[in-house]
Amino acid sequence: MHRKQQLSEPEEWRNKAYHSAKIYKEKAKKWHDKRIKQKEFKPGDKVLLFNSRVKLFGHGKLQSKWEGPYTIVNVASHEAITLQDDEGKTFKVNGHRLKIFLEPDNKEYDVINFIEET
């Protein structure tokens, strides 16, 4: 009887560990999902496209990982977005690889020149 109880203990520990891991994963998913920002694109928006090759193969430490800007032509319901470049070529990409392109403002700014002390 005592031996049967000893044999069933590891099974109980395994069940408790499984249950604890399941609870932890649910909490982690909830925390992660709460922090995801939903991106909403519409036709006519200008976007930048993430170039994963730069990240993987490292074409220079200071080279930007973002290409573009591209113009959105069509937005499908399943995150497939049709883009058009400046030359008129169109192609489809996953919406997770895009971010909104913020046009630079062409305002004039005051220039401050520093005087060297001699």
Side-chain angles (χ1 to χ4, degrees):
M1 187 68 163
H2 180 65
R3 182 67 179 144
K4 283 185 182 180
Q5 187 178 7
Q6 285 179 334
L7 290 173
S8 66
E9 276 183 23
E11 186 68 29
E12 290 174 17
W13 290 344
R14 230 185 328 270
N15 288 338
K16 285 180 184 176
Y18 174 78
H19 186 67
S20 297
K22 187 175 178 182
I23 290 171
Y24 170 76
K25 287 179 184 179
E26 288 172 358
K27 285 182 180 179
K29 181 179 177 0
K30 190 176 184 180
W31 181 86
H32 181 265
D33 290 347
K34 187 168 55 173
R35 283 161 178 72
I36 292 176
K37 294 179 183 175
Q38 293 295 326
K39 300 178 194 175
E40 299 215 7
F41 300 110
K42 54 187 179 292
D45 284 349
K46 295 238 180 200
V47 293
L48 296 174
L49 175 65
F50 182 73
N51 183 0
S52 58
R53 290 183 183 174
V54 173
K55 186 175 182 181
L56 294 175
F57 302 114
H59 294 281
K61 196 189 282 189
L62 300 177
Q63 185 175 354
S64 175
K65 296 177 181 93
W66 297 93
E67 295 177 344
Y70 298 103
T71 306
I72 294 179
V73 177
N74 185 20
V75 179
S77 62
H78 55 277
E79 294 286 326
I81 296 177
T82 307
L83 299 179
Q84 183 177 27
D85 62 4
D86 293 337
E87 298 169 358
K89 296 182 203 170
T90 60
F91 54 97
K92 286 188 177 186
V93 296
N94 188 327
H96 294 288
R97 295 180 58 203
L98 300 176
K99 73 176 180 180
I100 294 289
F101 174 68
L102 302 173
E103 298 275 344
D105 57 351
N106 294 327
K107 296 179 182 177
E108 288 189 31
Y109 296 98
D110 294 334
V111 177
I112 300 173
N113 295 319
F114 294 101
I115 301 170
E116 287 187 33
E117 268 187 54
T118 54

